């Protein structure tokens, strides 16, 4: 089972996933794709001798060259780990049921366009939520609306800040995202 990770930012999740599957003989992280040539995610890939691909918005929406690369690497599962760009419908059709995303809130709350990273935590804080969490879900043509695979929660106190919420979310992501990917593969493939 070959996996491609798509990421736009610092790539803490990319690092967690690479580390988690390092010794796994059947599940391999073989490609890291980013729309940001200075993304930390690419550095984690390089440090682990994993192939890297930098794409731009145009090549993603055209999809041809990206799909060719995924096929060349026999990618069976695409994992979005902090990937900012919208996945085009053409791409979804070609990888039906094989693209999953991590979102840093309990969807359907605080999802949609522009809901990324600290924007999500700020909205959670301003809404005086008593809990937040992470959602791992399939990707469909609308932002953050695909079928939910798993959700994990954390309680919020009255003293939270954007930073404290971000830390709680990072901890949940580290604990649960890689293991949820593994469970999903073992169950469905
Ligand atoms: C993660 O918290 C992920 O949940 C979030 O981006 C962050 C990336 O962090 N994803 C979204 O907000 C998707 N809408 P990382 O680069 O350190 O892995």
């Amino acid at each position: 089972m070959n996996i491609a990770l798509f990421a736009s930012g610092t790539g803490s999740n990319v690092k967690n996933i690479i580390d988690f599957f390092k010794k796994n003989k059947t599940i391999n992280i073989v490609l890291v794709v980013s729309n940001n040539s200075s993304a930390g995610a690419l550095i984690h890939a390089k440090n682990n001798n994993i192939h890297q691909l930098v794409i731009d918005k145009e090549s993603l929406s055209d999809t041809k060259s990206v799909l060719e690369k995924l096929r060349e690497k026999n990618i069976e599962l695409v994992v979005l780990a902090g990937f900012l760009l919208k996945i085009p419908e053409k791409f979804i059709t070609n990888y039906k049921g094989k693209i999953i995303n991590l979102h840093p809130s309990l969807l359907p709350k605080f999802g949609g366009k522009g809901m990324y990273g600290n924007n999500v935590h700020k909205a959670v804080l301003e809404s005086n939520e008593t809990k937040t969490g992470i959602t791992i879900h399939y990707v469909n043509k609308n932002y953050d609306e695909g079928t939910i695979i798993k959700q994990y929660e954390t309680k919020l106190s009255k003293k939270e800040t954007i930073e404290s919420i971000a830390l709680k979310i990072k901890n949940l992501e580290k604990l649960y995202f890689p293991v949820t990917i593994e469970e999903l593969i073992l169950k469905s493939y």
Side-chain angles (χ1 to χ4, degrees), residues 7-14 81-83 101-104 115-117 120-121 134 144 169-170 173:
S8 303
T10 53
S12 66
N13 283 284
V14 164
F83 189 63
N101 181 46
L102 166 69
H103 187 80
M115 279 303 194
Y116 179 83
V120 177
H121 310 321
I134 61 169
D144 303 325
I169 292 296
K170 285 272 169 249
E173 292 179 340

Side-chain angles (χ1 to χ4, degrees), residues 137-156:
H137 65 95
Y138 287 106
V139 171
N140 71 6
K141 63 183 170 59
N142 300 319
Y143 269 116
D144 303 325
E145 287 183 14
T147 307
I148 291 173
I149 299 164
K150 276 275 171 78
Q151 291 188 306
Y152 297 95
E153 296 182 5
T154 181
K155 281 191 185 138
L156 296 175

Side-chain angles (χ1 to χ4, degrees), residues 3-142:
I3 300 179
L5 306 176
F6 280 47
S8 303
T10 53
S12 66
N13 283 284
V14 164
K15 184 174 186 307
N16 294 341
I17 295 165
I18 291 173
D19 289 346
F20 185 86
F21 288 108
K22 221 172 234 175
K23 294 207 171 79
N24 194 302
K25 290 198 170 67
T26 50
I27 301 171
N28 309 303
I29 311 301
V30 297
L31 180 66
V32 173
V33 179
S34 184
N35 60 310
N36 171 8
S37 59
S38 50
L42 294 172
I43 296 169
H44 297 309
K46 193 163 180 249
N47 290 343
N48 288 280
N49 295 318
I50 295 169
H51 198 92
Q52 305 127 56
L53 175 69
V54 178
I55 56 170
D56 56 21
K57 221 176 170 173
E58 288 67 41
S59 63
L60 180 65
S61 56
D62 174 55
T63 73
K64 198 169 172 284
S65 60
V66 183
L67 285 174
E68 264 168 22
K69 182 56 109 184
L70 296 186
R71 291 213 179 97
E72 180 195 313
K73 296 271 168 205
N74 292 318
I75 301 298
E76 291 163 85
L77 181 69
V78 172
V79 174
L80 310 184
F83 189 63
L84 270 179
L85 300 181
K86 194 160 192 269
I87 301 295
E89 261 187 270
K90 228 194 295 176
F91 192 147
I92 295 170
T93 315
N94 274 276
Y95 267 83
K96 218 170 167 46
K98 290 178 178 166
I99 312 174
I100 65 170
N101 181 46
L102 166 69
H103 187 80
S105 76
L106 296 169
L107 291 174
K109 281 186 160 183
F110 309 106
K113 197 169 181 342
M115 279 303 194
Y116 179 83
N118 277 351
N119 292 348
V120 177
H121 310 321
K122 184 167 182 280
V124 167
L125 189 70
E126 285 169 356
S127 305
N128 296 315
E129 296 291 307
T130 55
K131 63 179 184 182
T132 187
I134 61 169
T135 303
I136 296 146
H137 65 95
Y138 287 106
V139 171
N140 71 6
K141 63 183 170 59
N142 300 319

